[in-house]
Amino acid sequence: MLERRVALLDGTPVLIRPLRIEDAALYPDFLKDVTADDLRLRFFAPMREVSPEMIDKLIHYDPKHAMAFIAIEEASGRMFGVVRLHDDPDGEKAEFAILVRSQLKGRGLGWLLMKHMIAFAKDKGLKIVHGQVLTENATMLVMCAELGFHFADDPDEHGVKAVTLPIAEVPSEAT
Ligand SMILES: CC(C)(COP(=O)(O)OP(=O)(O)OC[C@H]1O[C@@H](n2cnc3c(N)ncnc32)[C@H](O)[C@@H]1OP(=O)(O)O)[C@@H](O)C(=O)NCCC(=O)NCCS
């Protein structure tokens, strides 16, 4: 369940598995193929590059309260994407964030990573998965709608949608 072999829409085989500390070595090659615009959509702030300190923080998550899944192309061992899930203090909800290699967008990886993360949340017994998405991020909002997320304007941040998925509403076959 933690690990899954999947195929992109064009058939490319990809392994989705928990992110490990040694995957820090894969990040520079991955991030050099992520556009500044995609970094902004992910981190909500303009940034030219992700610092080594930030990569270190992303890699050293506390598995008791967080999870991250990496997608790796089987043939090359290259990192194609990552989805994370960080528990809220109440232990019932968790916040996700996702990033896919820019050149790979539209090939089904974001969808597969989101489904994998939602299945993990269900297995873990979480009640709600939620995230923040910029209103201009049409791809992400459409995908969230298709996955059953509810939408609201984020009360704290202008131009941001709060997207929420009650896990009880996720059909078993959809995980
Ligand atoms: C948003 C993001 C994660 C989407 O990833 P992606 O790999 O390009 O998305 P996919 O190819 O899986 O999905 C794209 C489309 O196919 C649909 N889709 C893909 N696989 C599908 C499937 N098996 N069944 C049904 N629909 C599917 C998606 O709903 C979406 O629809 P659209 O093109 O009509 O909008 C990616 O663009 C990204 O990393 N963006 C920058 C960071 C970001 O925006 N993060 C979100 C905020 S945390």
Side-chain angles (χ1 to χ4, degrees), residues 87-94 125-129:
D87 294 350
D88 289 2
D90 66 12
E92 296 196 333
K93 302 193 280 299
L126 289 170
K127 292 201 165 47
I128 285 177
V129 164

Side-chain angles (χ1 to χ4, degrees), residues 9 38 41-42 96-100 104-111 132 137 139-140 142-143 146:
L9 294 172
D38 280 350
L41 292 174
R42 161 65 181 87
F96 75 86
I98 182 167
L99 185 60
V100 166
L104 280 178
K105 289 197 305 186
R107 285 168 61 182
L109 182 57
W111 177 269
Q132 285 186 308
N137 196 347
T139 305
M140 192 63 201
V142 168
M143 187 160 74
E146 287 174 1

Side-chain angles (χ1 to χ4, degrees), residues 16-135:
I16 299 177
R17 62 153 173 79
L19 183 74
R20 300 195 285 253
I21 288 168
E22 57 268 31
D23 295 328
L26 302 177
Y27 262 85
D29 170 70
F30 170 65
L31 290 169
K32 98 175 147 42
D33 267 353
V34 176
T35 63
D37 208 38
D38 280 350
L39 284 182
R40 188 179 54 82
L41 292 174
R42 161 65 181 87
F43 293 103
F44 287 27
M47 52 169 81
R48 254 180 296 139
E49 57 177 27
V50 181
S51 66
E53 292 76 24
M54 171 86 99
I55 295 175
D56 197 61
K57 209 171 139 209
L58 291 168
I59 287 285
H60 290 94
Y61 61 94
D62 173 3
K64 274 203 211 96
H65 304 291
M67 188 57 179
F69 291 105
I70 185 172
I72 293 181
E73 185 190 25
E74 300 249 41
S76 66
R78 287 191 308 159
M79 177 174 178
F80 271 11
V82 62
V83 65
R84 336 179 48 88
L85 193 62
H86 287 254
D87 294 350
D88 289 2
D90 66 12
E92 296 196 333
K93 302 193 280 299
E95 179 169 10
F96 75 86
I98 182 167
L99 185 60
V100 166
R101 198 180 265 260
S102 299
Q103 288 165 351
L104 280 178
K105 289 197 305 186
R107 285 168 61 182
L109 182 57
W111 177 269
L112 290 166
L113 281 171
M114 289 295 287
K115 299 274 274 190
H116 194 75
M117 177 274 290
I118 293 165
F120 170 79
K122 191 168 190 166
D123 255 28
K124 188 174 172 178
L126 289 170
K127 292 201 165 47
I128 285 177
V129 164
H130 64 98
Q132 285 186 308
V133 181
L134 291 177
T135 44

Side-chain angles (χ1 to χ4, degrees), residues 118 126-130 148-150 164-171:
I118 293 165
L126 289 170
K127 292 201 165 47
I128 285 177
V129 164
H130 64 98
F149 280 79
H150 302 261
T164 306
L165 181 68
I167 296 296
E169 293 178 11
V170 178

